[in-house]
Amino acid sequence: MNAIGPVEPGEGTTAPRPEPRPVAGGSTGHPTAPRRPLVAVLAAVLLLAGGGYLYATRPHGPPPAPPVPSQLPFPAQVVDVTFVGPHAPPPGASPQTFAFEVLLSVDAGPEVTVTRVSQPYAGLSLTTAPRPPFRTAAGAARTIVITMHVTECGTVPENAGLPFLDVTLRNTRAIQEQSFILGPRYARALSQALQVACSNESG
């Protein structure tokens, strides 16, 4: 029985295997991994470093000029005075002396200096704590204690209708005198204090 097996290649009929190509450095092993991603990362790092250096060394423009006085608000536009309530008079004060607290606030602009506080009635003298001049910065508020003393009951009203305080204000824009009407609570408190002070007709 004849059997046909796999055909054996004849001598000289086998194709030669390709020789491995030499790689960098003379090695005949496997070729190294591609280096393109590493080169791209290095290029990005150098680009960022260069951009940061250029940003840090860029020429700076001159600082903004400070506002000129004509661009600043008038002090009366940014100051508000509100009535807080009665305050205990100084120790040892006479029965004709009483005190109140008011709150002075500055909304914006440069700091404001209060140079004077007064009231319209001739029969009353007035002092403040702190004493003028005192300053208040923008965004801040200051409590002022106003102490009044009745010097002549015949010249003060029995019922103060719309009492006000005259406050002289100064900032780098201007000096202004502003009248602040402190509202009905202040009017009632002042009227009551005057009635008590003059109840025995002593001034």
Side-chain angles (χ1 to χ4, degrees):
M1 181 176 179
N2 294 329
I4 301 175
V7 179
E8 296 290 337
E11 184 179 353
T13 61
T14 302
R17 294 183 180 180
E19 294 292 332
R21 295 183 180 181
V23 296
S27 173
T28 58
H30 295 289
T32 58
R35 297 188 178 184
R36 289 184 180 180
L38 178 60
V39 173
V41 170
L42 291 176
V45 170
L46 292 175
L47 181 62
L48 290 174
Y53 174 79
L54 291 177
Y55 180 81
T57 58
R58 75 192 190 284
H60 296 279
V68 296
S70 61
Q71 297 173 340
L72 298 173
F74 287 97
Q77 294 175 328
V78 296
V79 171
D80 190 26
V81 178
T82 57
F83 177 66
V84 177
H87 185 85
S94 70
Q96 285 74 43
T97 301
F98 51 91
F100 301 110
E101 280 188 13
V102 298
L103 189 70
L104 182 144
S105 58
V106 179
D107 294 334
E111 66 179 8
V112 175
T113 300
V114 174
T115 62
R116 183 172 177 266
V117 181
S118 62
Q119 53 78 43
Y121 302 121
L124 284 175
S125 64
L126 178 151
T127 59
T128 67
R131 293 180 177 273
F134 55 85
R135 300 175 180 178
T136 305
R142 179 187 294 270
T143 298
I144 305 170
V145 177
I146 297 177
T147 302
M148 297 185 181
H149 178 74
V150 179
T151 58
E152 188 176 352
C153 287
T155 60
V156 295
E158 294 182 0
N159 292 297
L162 289 174
F164 57 88
L165 294 176
D166 288 325
V167 184
T168 304
L169 307 168
R170 184 184 73 219
N171 67 2
T172 52
R173 173 72 186 271
I175 299 176
Q176 291 181 297
E177 183 172 309
Q178 180 75 6
S179 295
F180 293 94
I181 299 176
L182 304 185
R185 288 182 58 241
Y186 174 64
R188 289 193 298 269
L190 178 60
S191 297
Q192 182 179 3
L194 290 173
Q195 291 172 8
V196 171
C198 295
S199 61
N200 56 3
E201 294 297 328
S202 62

